[in-house]
Amino acid sequence: MTGSRRVTAVRTAGGLSLRLDVRAVLVGLLLLALALAAGIALIGSGDYPMTPGEVLAALTGGGNPGQEFIVHDLRLPRVLVGLLVGAAFGISGAVFQTVSRNPLGSPDVLGFAQGSSVGALVVIVYLHGEPFAVAAGAVVGGVATGVAIFLLAWKRGIQGYRFVLVGIGANAMLYALVLYLLTKANIVEATRATTWMTGTLNGRDWDQVGPLTAVCAVLIPLLLLYGRPLRMLEMGDDAAFALGVRVDRLRVIVLLAAVLLVASGTAAAGPISFVALTAPQLARRLTRSPGPNLLPSALMGAVLLVAADFASQRLFGADQLPVGVLTGVLGGGYLLWLLAVERKAGRI
C-alpha cells in the first residue's frame, strides 16, 4: 500500500515483473462499463425509443427486422463514432498535457481543432467538396497546424508554457481565418460549414466508422506503448534522459500520433470542444495515479462524449442540440474553474 493507492507486483510467464495499480485497473473497468452502458442507452433513445433489452436483442440478431434496421443502420454507427472520437480526444489530451506539463495543454485550446476547421472550410468554400473531401481537408489542416506549432515552439526542446502560448496564439489566428472563410461562403456553404464546426454526431454512418476504427486501432496502442516513457517525461527532460528516454524522438512520435488522432476525430465529428481538456484531468483524479493515465483518459473521453450526446437528446429532443454545444458549455465552465485553480496555485 502507498497512501490511498494499492500497487501489486505481477510476474509473467517470461519472468518479467510488472507493477499493477489496482485502483487504476478498477477505474478503467468502471469507465469501460459506463461507456458501454451509455452507448446502449444512446442506441435506445430517439424518436423510436427502445429498452436496453431490445437494444441488446437487436445487436445479437434477436430483434424484429424494424429494430435491427434502426440499430444496425441508423444508431450503432453514431454510437461507435462517438466512442472512437471520445477515446481519440481523451488520449490525445493526455499526451498533450504530459508533453507540455500543463493542464491547459489541450488540442482544442492550442489551435489544432481550429486548424482542422480551416482545412475543412477551404474544401467546403473553395472546392465544394463532398463529405470525404471535407474530412480529408480537416485531417490535412490539423496535421499542418500541429507541425507548425511544434516548429514554432521548438527552442532546444519543448518548454511547457512556450508550447501552450504558441498554441493559444495559433488558435486566435486560425479562428480569425475561419471567420474570414465564412464571409466568403454563400448561404448554403455557410450553413454547411457552421453545422460541421459545431461538432455533432448526427447523421454519422459506417463511412466514418471504418477509417476512424483503422486510425484508432493503430495509433491508440502505439501511444499506450509509450506510457512508461511519457511518465518519465513528466519528471523533466534531464531526469527522463538520465533514465534512458530519447526525449526529442519521444516527443515527435507521440505528438504526431496525437495530432493524427485529433485530426481524424475532428474529421469524423467536427471540432467537439473540451473533451480532450477535461477527460485526462477527470481520469487522473479518479485513478489518483501519477503519469499520463492514457487508457483511463481514452475511456473517460468515450464516456463523456457518448453521455453528453445522450443527455442532449433526452433534454432537448432527438437531434435538436448538437453535442458540441453541450460539451462547449460544460467544458467552458470546467476551464474557468481550472484557470482559477492554476492561478491560486501560482502556476499562471
Side-chain angles (χ1 to χ4, degrees):
M1 297 286 291
T2 304
S4 59
R5 295 173 54 236
R6 180 179 174 185
V7 179
T8 302
V10 178
R11 185 171 295 277
T12 66
L16 297 176
S17 180
L18 303 176
R19 294 173 69 252
L20 184 65
D21 191 322
V22 177
R23 182 184 178 92
V25 171
L26 293 177
V27 169
L29 292 175
L30 175 61
L31 291 174
L32 178 61
L34 288 174
L36 295 176
I40 292 173
L42 181 56
I43 292 175
S45 62
D47 293 331
Y48 182 83
M50 300 170 63
T51 65
E54 291 172 335
V55 171
L56 291 174
L59 288 172
T60 56
N64 61 53
Q67 290 175 338
E68 291 188 6
F69 170 76
I70 291 173
V71 170
H72 290 281
D73 293 344
L74 300 181
R75 296 181 181 174
L76 182 58
R78 176 186 186 131
V79 171
L80 291 178
V81 169
L83 291 172
L84 291 170
V85 170
F89 285 175
I91 196 170
S92 299
V95 169
F96 278 102
Q97 292 175 18
T98 299
V99 170
S100 65
R101 294 196 287 275
N102 191 316
L104 297 177
S106 170
D108 40 13
V109 175
L110 301 183
F112 296 95
Q114 295 291 356
S116 294
S117 297
V118 169
L121 283 178
V122 168
V123 174
I124 292 174
V125 175
Y126 291 110
L127 303 179
H128 313 291
E130 297 299 319
F132 180 80
V134 173
V139 172
V140 172
V143 173
T145 300
V147 172
I149 291 175
F150 185 85
L151 293 177
L152 289 172
W154 180 268
K155 185 179 181 181
R156 295 189 298 274
I158 293 290
Q159 195 274 337
Y161 279 100
R162 183 168 63 244
F163 185 68
V164 171
L165 289 174
V166 170
I168 291 175
N171 185 62
M173 294 173 64
L174 290 167
Y175 180 68
L177 186 54
V178 166
L179 296 179
Y180 170 77
L181 289 171
L182 286 176
T183 65
K184 294 297 182 180
N186 59 42
I187 186 64
V188 176
E189 293 167 345
T191 302
R192 182 184 175 195
T194 303
T195 301
W196 185 88
M197 288 173 52
T198 302
T200 180
L201 297 177
N202 298 348
R204 302 304 96 176
D205 56 30
W206 292 105
D207 290 338
Q208 287 86 30
V209 174
L212 189 57
T213 300
V215 171
C216 291
V218 173
L219 296 181
I220 289 180
L222 174 65
L223 289 176
L224 293 177
L225 289 175
Y226 284 96
R228 186 169 179 269
L230 280 171
R231 183 172 180 175
M232 296 177 184
L233 189 63
E234 286 191 334
M235 299 184 294
D237 289 5
D238 294 337
F241 183 78
L243 292 171
V245 178
R246 298 175 64 180
V247 176
D248 293 339
R249 179 174 177 269
L250 172 66
R251 281 202 182 96
V252 171
I253 292 175
V254 298
L255 284 177
L256 179 59
V259 167
L260 286 172
L261 280 171
V262 171
S264 300
T266 304
I272 298 176
S273 304
F274 293 114
V275 173
L277 174 70
T278 57
Q281 296 294 314
L282 295 177
R284 180 173 294 203
R285 281 170 170 77
L286 286 177
T287 62
R288 299 178 186 173
S289 176
N293 287 279
L294 297 179
L295 187 56
S297 297
L299 294 172
M300 178 61 76
V303 171
L304 289 177
L305 186 51
V306 175
D309 195 36
F310 173 74
S312 68
Q313 291 204 46
R314 292 302 298 264
L315 294 175
F316 301 96
D319 299 336
Q320 296 299 309
L321 181 73
V323 65
V325 176
L326 186 59
T327 60
V329 171
L330 298 177
Y334 178 82
L335 177 60
L336 292 175
W337 174 83
L338 182 61
L339 288 170
V341 170
E342 290 293 296
R343 181 177 181 182
K344 185 176 181 180
R347 290 189 285 266
I348 60 174

